[in-house]
């Protein structure tokens, strides 16, 4: 009976994000969660395995696992083994620095795993300006090891102003290694809130990226760029925010949020140490408010059916209002560029 529509959502998420730890061996400047050290009250092994049991009972198809660096968690392999034993697909986001052949061989035992290795530039200097010195070569090594395995693997790049010009080269690099390319959106959360003004793509870069996506339908973006999706890519992904309808996020301590980018106390939907996941999914006031969310200010836009107001997380961090409309949608970018052109002509 799971995964049937209930009002505006589903009776269980199709997939969810699980931030299993805040421990990380890197200090990336755009990190969505300010990962560094594990927090003292992260879920124990027994609690984590109970989460897996609950996900299985709800017939959740896939869990997207991140952090922090998930492979920093000592019991992480036990956790993903438990997921696979229950038939749950795992997609693991990693910085790749801890990979060796032994780990790849272990992960290759199942067809229920996919890996995303973070790389934030086709050039070493571009990537390491964001992720830190000594991070590029280990990531490339991990990608090559994974490319020679049966594990579906992708480069995951967060689009910033510093790497926007290298996106085509990243596609070439991915092809050369034998993996795919996924581009993620930079949102002003976590450590990224402090660097957002410096690293955010310009309106011109966002428009150019949207046009490039229209010419490259093999590039994956998940749901993160539906506000920029060109007409040529319609039908390739979501056309609205899936938070609380199709997906949600479990944090390292068991608190549940609408998505990984809204791990803010204002959006805490529940705690799996106090309630079951099903109880939170079904009864949370936060989740129900997101299921009824409408961006009225965007409903008159000709692109409304393509993005339904864009990303509420970006609207919240930049406008303080999840109903404010995505300030980085393609229409606003085009308008911004037109205004800049008018001002330039006036000068």
């Amino acid at each position: 009976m799971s995964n049937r529509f209930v009002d505006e959502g589903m009776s269980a998420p199709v997939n969810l994000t699980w931030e299993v730890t805040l421990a990380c061996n890197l200090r990336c400047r755009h990190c969505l969660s300010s990962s560094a050290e594990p927090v003292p009250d992260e879920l124990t092994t027994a609690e984590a395995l109970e989460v897996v049991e609950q996900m299985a009972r709800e017939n959740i198809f896939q869990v997207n696992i991140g952090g922090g660096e998930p492979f920093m968690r000592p019991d992480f392999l036990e956790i993903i083994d438990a997921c696979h034993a229950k038939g749950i697909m795992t997609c693991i986001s990693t910085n790749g620095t801890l990979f060796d052949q032994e780990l790849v061989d272990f992960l290759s035992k199942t067809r229920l795993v996919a890996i995303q290795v973070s790389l934030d530039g086709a050039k070493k200097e571009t990537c390491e300006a964001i992720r830190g010195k000594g991070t590029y070569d280990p990531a490339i090594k991990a990608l090559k090891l994974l490319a020679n395995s049966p594990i579906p693997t992708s480069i995951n790049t967060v689009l910033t102003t510093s790497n926007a010009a290298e996106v085509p080269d990243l596609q070439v690099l991915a092809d050369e290694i034998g993996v795919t390319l996924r581009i993620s959106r930079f949102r002003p959360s976590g450590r990224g809130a402090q660097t957002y003004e410096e690293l955010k793509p310009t309106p011109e870069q966002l428009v150019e990226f949207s046009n490039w996506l229209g010419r490259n339908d093999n590039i994956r973006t998940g749901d993160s760029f539906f506000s920029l999706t060109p007409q040529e890519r319609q039908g390739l992904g979501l056309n609205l925010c899936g938070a609380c309808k199709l997906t949600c996020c479990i944090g390292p301590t068991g608190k549940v949020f609408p998505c990984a980018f809204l791990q803010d106390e204002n959006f805490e939907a529940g705690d799996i140490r106090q309630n079951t996941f099903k109880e939170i999914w079904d009864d949370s006031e936060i989740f129900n408010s997101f299921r009824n969310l409408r961006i009225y200010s965007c409903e008159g836009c000709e692109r409304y059916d393509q993005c339904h107001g864009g990303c509420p997380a970006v609207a919240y961090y930049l406008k303080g209002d999840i109903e404010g409309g995505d300030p980085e949608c393609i229409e606003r970018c085009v308008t911004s560029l037109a205004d800049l052109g008018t001002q330039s002509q006036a000068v």
Side-chain angles (χ1 to χ4, degrees):
M1 299 293 290
S2 182
N3 286 356
R4 291 171 54 190
F5 278 104
V6 176
D7 297 325
E8 295 296 323
M10 303 182 81
S11 62
V14 175
N15 63 57
L16 61 81
T17 297
W18 187 4
E19 306 284 329
V20 294
T21 183
L22 282 185
C24 192
N25 55 338
L26 304 185
R27 301 292 185 270
C28 299
R29 300 179 64 222
H30 58 9
C31 180
L32 72 90
S33 58
S34 299
S35 298
E37 301 296 331
V39 291
D41 56 345
E42 291 184 354
L43 295 178
T44 65
T45 301
E47 289 172 326
L49 295 179
E50 172 57 24
V51 170
V52 175
E53 291 289 335
Q54 293 190 39
M55 289 192 292
R57 285 199 295 270
E58 296 307 306
N59 293 333
I60 292 171
F61 173 72
Q62 177 175 301
V63 56
N64 302 318
I65 302 177
E69 169 52 48
F71 289 99
M72 292 279 289
R73 182 169 170 134
D75 59 359
F76 181 56
L77 298 184
E78 183 179 355
I79 293 170
I80 60 171
D81 260 354
C83 290
H84 299 155
K86 295 292 184 179
I88 301 171
M89 178 74 185
T90 60
C91 181
I92 304 169
S93 295
T94 174
N95 59 40
T97 59
L98 303 178
F99 271 69
D100 56 24
Q101 188 62 56
E102 182 180 3
L103 179 56
V104 173
D105 290 343
F106 176 88
L107 296 171
S108 299
K109 295 187 302 181
T110 178
R111 295 185 178 181
L112 294 175
V113 65
I115 303 288
Q116 295 179 170
V117 179
S118 297
L119 196 75
D120 286 302
K123 298 177 182 177
K124 184 175 183 176
E125 55 270 28
T126 304
C127 180
E128 295 193 351
I130 294 174
R131 305 190 66 81
K133 290 185 178 181
T135 56
Y136 183 85
D137 290 339
I140 294 294
K141 176 185 174 183
L143 286 162
K144 289 180 177 178
L145 286 172
L146 288 161
N148 289 320
S149 79
I151 301 171
T153 302
S154 61
I155 291 173
N156 186 57
T157 299
V158 177
L159 186 71
T160 62
T161 190
S162 60
N163 65 24
E166 296 179 23
V167 167
D169 291 333
L170 280 162
Q171 184 183 23
V172 171
L173 178 63
D175 290 342
E176 289 176 349
I177 295 174
V179 298
T180 58
L181 176 62
R182 185 181 190 276
I183 309 292
S184 295
R185 187 170 177 184
F186 180 32
R187 294 173 173 93
S189 64
R191 195 176 293 121
Q194 283 71 54
T195 60
Y196 181 74
E197 289 301 321
E198 175 189 352
L199 295 178
K200 68 178 181 180
T202 65
E204 184 176 18
Q205 288 173 324
L206 290 172
V207 171
E208 185 176 342
F209 176 70
S210 178
N211 293 334
W212 183 83
L213 283 178
R215 301 190 300 271
N216 295 273
D217 60 7
N218 61 323
I219 303 301
R220 296 188 298 114
T221 62
D223 69 350
S224 58
F225 277 114
F226 53 85
S227 60
L228 294 177
T229 301
Q231 188 63 42
E232 295 89 341
R233 288 179 65 93
Q234 292 305 299
L236 292 181
L238 292 177
N239 65 351
L240 78 167
C241 172
C244 310
K245 304 178 183 74
L246 303 172
T247 188
C248 64
C249 173
I250 300 176
T253 64
K255 293 181 179 179
V256 183
F257 303 91
C259 77
F261 297 94
L262 284 175
Q263 294 183 69
D264 181 289
E265 62 181 10
N266 292 322
F267 299 101
E268 183 181 328
D271 187 332
I272 57 174
R273 283 174 164 152
Q274 299 175 13
N275 297 96
T276 66
F277 178 81
K278 179 174 178 53
E279 288 171 337
I280 297 169
W281 180 261
D282 288 348
D283 302 329
S284 164
E285 292 184 9
I286 292 290
F287 279 13
N288 287 328
S289 69
F290 267 75
R291 288 164 187 156
N292 295 312
L293 181 65
R294 288 181 63 180
I295 314 301
Y296 292 100
S297 61
C298 294
E299 290 187 356
C301 176
E302 63 181 17
R303 276 181 48 90
Y304 182 74
D305 287 342
Q306 296 174 240
C307 79
H308 293 85
C311 176
V314 175
Y316 172 71
Y317 286 115
L318 297 186
K319 294 182 172 183
D321 180 9
I322 62 171
E323 298 179 352
D326 192 328
E328 292 183 338
C329 76
I330 190 67
E331 287 298 315
R332 287 185 171 90
C333 289
V334 170
T335 300
S336 175
L337 290 175
D339 290 343
L340 287 173
T342 300
Q343 293 172 10
S344 176
Q345 292 173 8
V347 172

